[in-house]
Amino acid sequence: MKYYFKTEQMSVGYQGKPLIQNIEIGLNKGEILTLIGPNGAGKSTILKSIAKQLKLIAGAVYLDKKELAQMSGTELSQRMAVVFTEKLKTELMTCEDVVATGRYPYTGHFGILSKEDYSIIEEAMELVHVTEIRNQDFTKISDGQRQRVMLARAICQEPEIIVLDEPTSFLDVKYKLEFLSVLQELRIKKGLTVIMSIHELELAERVSDRILCVNGKYVERFGKSEEIFKNGYIKSLFGIETGSFDEENGSMELEPAKGNADLFVIAGGGSGRSTYRKFQRERKVFITGILYENDLDFPVARALAAEVITARAFEPVDKVVLEQAKRAIDSCSQVICCRKQFGSLENANKELFEYAYKSGKVADCK
């Protein structure tokens, strides 16, 4: 298959010594590739090698059938933009001055900006919401603002492909979401291809067309997000031994309390998650149910409860499951009900609550 961006038997490393070998990547124009893996796994090394900041140990990188090694610096800067975590060295430059440097690959030897250049600069600053700080000293702004200014600078280059190393590291939740939305908008409107590393796994899963998994010695997996985030693979890739990460829901939970359960939680529809996590913080052991396997509470319950009494989704609750839940209530000294009311299809949990109420064990969910 012919790809817009591809690598062939690419090996990367330092001083002639390979760190990760035989990296094979193929991307269509306008796709977003995210690199994930533990700290120090080699993600930045791969990105720097793609961007020609590090010399390849072996293999080749191609952009639209042309090898990057054969491109001049000017041609590469017009086709590829790079945003890395290293701080740009500036002296007496405003944020707008920094953004404007993204136009230099197009200005020739004299570096004179045209009206069209200024229009592109303005549009880029508006896209990432840095217009209001355009006249501030670049060295005096926050890390998050600096990251957005650097993205505006990269957008100014009007590249075909952009390479970013941990671009969301210094951004708060608002700007993380806006930043990734900008990338998606650019890929749709301008066919921008994106290659980046990112720590936030839930964001990587949502924004990526393809994901490259790096473990420090080699590339373990390369594929679509639905092929990567399943079957406990992330736990294996990151060596998670304490707590849990649920690939299906992007839910990360701390280690549950251990011991014999003395609390039973009736929840469902997302009503129990805050209580589950409260009990985890308080190191209280609990049982919960009856939860359908597709319930919003289920991923958190599975991670934190000593036992989860479950029912098959879209099926009536079996009497055997209901009796199992009643026996669990009998073994506990207190029942917490997180539901204010029960829907027409929740007769089993309504009966369970009435059973607990008659036993005098029901306490408020607080």
Side-chain angles (χ1 to χ4, degrees):
M1 183 174 179
K2 295 180 179 180
Y3 289 106
Y4 170 74
F5 172 90
K6 69 175 183 177
T7 65
E8 287 186 353
Q9 296 183 324
M10 182 174 77
S11 296
V12 301
Y14 298 89
Q15 298 176 342
K17 296 180 181 179
L19 175 65
I20 301 173
Q21 302 184 64
N22 298 320
I23 303 166
E24 298 284 344
I25 301 171
L27 296 176
N28 295 313
K29 187 174 179 62
E31 286 192 317
I32 296 178
L33 167 68
T34 301
L35 279 61
I36 65 172
N39 287 335
K43 302 185 295 295
S44 295
T45 305
I46 292 174
L47 294 177
K48 288 178 180 178
S49 300
I50 288 173
K52 287 182 67 175
Q53 292 191 4
L54 285 176
K55 186 177 180 181
L56 295 181
I57 304 296
V61 180
Y62 294 90
L63 182 61
D64 199 17
K65 301 179 184 178
K66 186 170 183 179
E67 189 175 355
L68 261 63
Q70 304 303 317
M71 291 185 187
S72 67
T74 299
E75 182 183 3
L76 185 61
S77 348
Q78 291 176 345
R79 303 189 71 178
M80 176 186 287
V82 178
V83 181
F84 285 162
T85 51
E86 289 88 350
K87 292 184 178 180
L88 184 70
K89 294 180 180 179
T90 61
E91 291 184 8
L92 302 176
M93 290 181 72
T94 66
C95 293
E96 185 173 10
D97 292 335
V98 172
V99 174
T101 61
R103 295 303 302 162
Y104 288 167
Y106 301 93
T107 57
H109 296 296
F110 297 105
I112 299 173
L113 298 172
S114 66
K115 288 184 179 180
E116 182 183 357
D117 291 323
Y118 281 114
S119 176
I120 292 170
I121 293 165
E122 186 72 26
E123 181 184 359
M125 289 193 296
E126 288 177 358
L127 263 176
V128 296
H129 306 286
V130 294
T131 307
E132 66 276 9
I133 61 170
R134 67 193 308 160
N135 295 319
Q136 291 187 32
D137 187 329
F138 181 74
T139 62
K140 303 285 179 64
I141 60 177
S142 70
D143 287 333
Q145 290 172 322
R146 189 175 293 113
Q147 198 80 336
R148 286 185 285 133
V149 169
M150 293 304 293
L151 177 60
R153 175 178 180 260
I155 292 170
C156 269
Q157 288 179 233
E158 297 186 301
E160 300 171 23
I161 184 169
I162 186 169
V163 181
L164 309 112
D165 189 12
E166 300 296 348
T168 58
S169 295
F170 301 111
L171 303 181
D172 59 29
V173 173
K174 167 183 167 65
Y175 288 119
K176 285 182 197 290
L177 296 175
E178 287 186 358
F179 175 86
L180 295 176
S181 296
V182 167
L183 291 183
Q184 287 190 324
E185 186 177 348
L186 289 171
R187 64 169 284 200
I188 293 169
K189 289 185 175 179
K190 299 186 177 182
L192 180 69
T193 304
V194 180
I195 300 177
M196 64 180 174
S197 62
I198 198 169
H199 274 309
E200 298 90 340
L201 296 177
E202 69 281 7
L203 294 180
E205 181 180 11
R206 285 158 177 74
V207 77
S208 309
D209 295 297
R210 299 182 189 276
I211 292 177
L212 189 80
C213 305
V214 189
N215 76 351
K217 296 180 180 178
Y218 50 86
V219 171
E220 280 194 352
R221 293 189 183 184
F222 171 66
K224 297 178 180 179
S225 59
E226 58 267 28
E227 298 169 341
I228 303 299
F229 287 86
K230 64 178 185 178
N231 301 328
Y233 172 66
I234 296 299
K235 184 173 183 178
S236 169
L237 175 64
F238 285 87
I240 298 173
E241 298 178 354
T242 302
S244 64
F245 180 83
D246 189 312
E247 285 97 340
E248 292 180 3
N249 302 279
S251 174
M252 182 167 51
E253 304 296 339
L254 298 173
E255 189 74 4
K258 305 294 184 183
N260 296 320
D262 196 40
L263 296 168
F264 190 98
V265 181
I266 299 174
S271 64
R273 290 175 293 185
S274 60
T275 299
Y276 300 155
R277 288 166 178 154
K278 175 177 178 288
F279 286 164
Q280 187 279 334
R281 293 192 298 272
E282 295 173 351
R283 312 310 293 161
K284 292 180 179 179
V285 186
F286 64 93
I287 301 170
T288 189
I290 302 167
L291 294 178
Y292 288 111
E293 293 173 343
N294 64 342
D295 193 278
L296 292 172
D297 280 330
F298 183 70
V300 183
R302 181 170 55 185
L304 299 181
E307 180 184 356
V308 185
I309 299 171
T310 61
R312 291 178 59 189
F314 311 114
E315 296 286 345
V317 176
D318 191 280
K319 289 184 178 180
V320 174
V321 174
L322 180 57
E323 290 304 315
Q324 179 188 357
K326 288 180 178 179
R327 288 195 300 272
I329 285 177
D330 291 339
S331 71
C332 296
S333 65
Q334 193 174 65
V335 176
I336 310 295
C337 183
C338 299
R339 303 303 304 274
K340 293 183 178 180
Q341 59 185 17
F342 295 97
S344 58
L345 300 179
E346 295 183 291
N347 290 333
N349 269 348
K350 183 179 180 181
E351 182 177 337
L352 194 63
F353 171 76
E354 291 171 350
Y355 178 81
Y357 187 79
K358 288 177 181 177
S359 71
K361 294 182 178 182
V362 174
D364 290 335
C365 181
K366 295 180 179 179

